C-alpha cells in the first residue's frame, strides 16, 4: 500500500532524531560516570549493550529505513508493471535492489536489538585466534559482506540522482565508519591493552555507536528527500494516463465488436 511522505519535513525529522541521540548519549555518559557499573539503570542507558534504550532506538530507526525502502520498492514495482504493459523500457528502475535493501534493513534492525553479530564473533573466536583489528572476529564476515554488497550495488548507486547518491554515500560512510571502522579500532586497543580500561572502552564504543546512529539519521533523511523528489514519481501520472488510454481503447474496441454481432 502506498504511503504519503510528501508533507514530512526531512529536516525536522533529522533534527528530532539528533536531539534524541543527544539525550541518549547524555544518559550514557551519566551512567558511566555516576552510576554503579553493572547496575540495572547503567545497563539500560549503555549504548554498547543489547535490549536496552539505545538498542531499541537504533532498531526502530533501522525499521523506519526499512519502511521507507519498502515504500520506494512498492512504487518502483508499480512502475515496472505499468512499463511492461505499455512496453516502455527506457528507464532502469532497480525495483529488486530496493526490495532487497528493505529486507537487509529489517535484518539489521533485528541484529541491532539482539546483537547477533557479536554472538557470531564469539563462535568464530573458538576457531580463529585473531588479534589486532580483527580481535572482534565478526568484522571478518562483516567486511566480506560489505565488499559483496558494494560490488552488487555499484550500478544501482551510479544510476541514482546525483544529490541522492551523495547523501547515500555519506550515510553509508558514517554507518560503516562506526560499525566496522571503530570496531576495528576498539579491537586493536583491546588486543594491545586488554578490556579492563572501562572509561576508554566506553569512549570507543560511544564513538562507534554515535557514528552508526548519525549514519542512520542521514539515510532516513536521504530516503525522505528521495521519496519527495523521485524523478520517476513525476512520470507516474503520465504512465498511468497512457495505461488508461490503452485500456480505454481496448474496451471501446470490444464494445464496437459487440454492437455489430
Amino acid at each position: 500500500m502506498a504511503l504519503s511522505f510528501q508533507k514530512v519535513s526531512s529536516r525536522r525529522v533529522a533534527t528530532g532524531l539528533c536531539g534524541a541521540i543527544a539525550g541518549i548519549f547524555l544518559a550514557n555518559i551519566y551512567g558511566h560516570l555516576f552510576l554503579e557499573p553493572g547496575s540495572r539503570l547503567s545497563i539500560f542507558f549503555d549504548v554498547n549493550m543489547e535490549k536496552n534504550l539505545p538498542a531499541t532506538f537504533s532498531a526502530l530507526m533501522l525499521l523506519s529505513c526499512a519502511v521507507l525502502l519498502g515504500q520506494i520498492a512498492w512504487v518502483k514495482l508499480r512502475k515496472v508493471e505499468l512499463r511492461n504493459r505499455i512496453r516502455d523500457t527506457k528507464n532502469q528502475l532497480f525495483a529488486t535492489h530496493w526490495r532487497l535493501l528493505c529486507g537487509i534493513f529489517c535484518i539489521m534492525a533485528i541484529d541491532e536489538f539482539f546483537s547477533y553479530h557479536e554472538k557470531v564473533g564469539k563462535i568464530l573466536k573458538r576457531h580463529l585466534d585473531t588479534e589486532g583489528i580483527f580481535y572482534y572476529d565478526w568484522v571478518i564476515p562483516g567486511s566480506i559482506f560489505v565488499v559483496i554488497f558494494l560490488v552488487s550495488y555499484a550500478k544501482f548507486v551510479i544510476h541514482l540522482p546525483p544529490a541522492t547518491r551523495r547523501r547515500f554515500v555519506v550515510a553509508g560512510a558514517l554507518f560503516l565508519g562506526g560499525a566496522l571502522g571503530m570496531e576495528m579500532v576498539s579491537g586493536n586497543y583491546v588486543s594491545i591493552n586488554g578490556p579492563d580500561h572501562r572509561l576508554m572502552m566506553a569512549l570507543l564504543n560511544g564513538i562507534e555507536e554515535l557514528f552508526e546512529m548519525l549514519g542512520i539519521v542521514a539515510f532516513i533523511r536521504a530516503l525522505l528527500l528521495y521519496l519527495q523528489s523521485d524523478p520517476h514519481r513525476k512520470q507516474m501520472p503520465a504512465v498511468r494516463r497512457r495505461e488508461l488510454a490503452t485500456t480505454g481503447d481496448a474496451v471501446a474496441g470490444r464494445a464496437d465488436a459487440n454492437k455489430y454481432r
Side-chain angles (χ1 to χ4, degrees):
M1 184 179 72
L3 303 174
S4 177
F5 296 94
Q6 297 302 306
K7 296 182 180 179
V8 177
S9 170
S10 61
R11 179 177 296 180
R12 289 183 179 179
V13 169
T15 301
L17 291 174
C18 286
I21 290 171
I24 286 172
F25 272 85
L26 286 174
N28 174 64
I29 293 169
Y30 177 84
H32 281 290
L33 293 179
F34 302 108
L35 296 178
E36 184 71 22
S39 66
R40 183 175 297 180
L41 195 57
S42 175
I43 293 173
F44 182 71
F45 290 127
D46 193 339
V47 297
N48 196 45
M49 300 297 288
E50 62 184 44
K51 300 178 185 178
N52 63 359
L53 179 62
T56 302
F57 179 75
S58 293
L60 289 174
M61 284 202 298
L62 288 167
L63 279 176
S64 298
C65 290
V67 170
L68 293 171
L69 288 164
Q71 170 65 10
I72 295 171
W74 185 88
V75 171
K76 299 295 182 183
L77 285 170
R78 287 287 298 132
K79 289 171 187 172
V80 168
E81 292 174 6
L82 298 179
R83 187 188 67 178
N84 290 339
R85 292 179 191 177
I86 63 175
R87 298 179 182 178
D88 175 18
T89 58
K90 287 187 295 183
N91 296 312
Q92 296 192 57
L93 300 177
F94 296 98
T96 301
H97 289 72
W98 289 105
R99 239 185 338 183
L100 285 174
L101 267 179
C102 176
I104 288 171
F105 270 81
C106 286
I107 294 171
M108 288 171 61
I110 295 170
D111 177 70
E112 181 66 28
F113 188 75
F114 292 102
S115 294
Y116 287 128
H117 63 280
E118 293 185 3
K119 295 177 176 63
V120 170
K122 290 177 182 179
I123 294 172
L124 291 175
K125 201 70 175 174
R126 300 172 192 167
H127 307 284
L128 301 174
D129 188 19
T130 53
E131 298 293 337
I133 62 174
F134 296 117
Y135 178 83
Y136 296 119
D137 299 68
W138 75 265
V139 300
I140 298 173
S143 300
I144 294 171
F145 173 79
V146 169
V147 171
I148 294 172
F149 175 84
L150 291 176
V151 171
S152 303
Y153 270 74
K155 190 176 181 181
F156 167 84
V157 173
I158 291 171
H159 279 77
L160 288 170
T164 302
R165 182 166 59 245
R166 287 193 298 271
R167 294 181 188 117
F168 276 28
V169 169
V170 169
L174 281 170
F175 185 83
L176 292 176
L180 285 177
M182 284 306 301
E183 188 81 343
M184 290 180 177
V185 172
S186 298
N188 189 58
Y189 179 86
V190 173
S191 180
I192 296 171
N193 302 290
D196 299 326
H197 301 272
R198 180 171 174 265
L199 290 180
M200 187 61 187
M201 289 305 303
L203 176 63
L204 292 173
N205 292 331
I207 295 172
E208 174 186 336
E209 295 298 327
L210 179 61
F211 271 58
E212 288 184 24
M213 288 184 182
L214 291 178
I216 300 170
V217 171
F219 193 55
I220 289 173
R221 182 172 182 271
L223 291 172
L224 283 171
L225 289 171
Y226 181 76
L227 274 167
Q228 294 165 357
S229 63
D230 179 5
H232 295 298
R233 179 178 288 277
K234 297 174 184 177
Q235 300 169 10
M236 191 69 167
V239 173
R240 183 63 178 162
R241 283 196 298 270
R242 289 166 67 183
E243 183 202 30
L244 290 173
T246 304
T247 305
D249 291 343
V251 171
R254 285 196 298 270
D256 289 342
N258 292 332
K259 184 168 63 175
Y260 291 106
R261 278 182 181 177

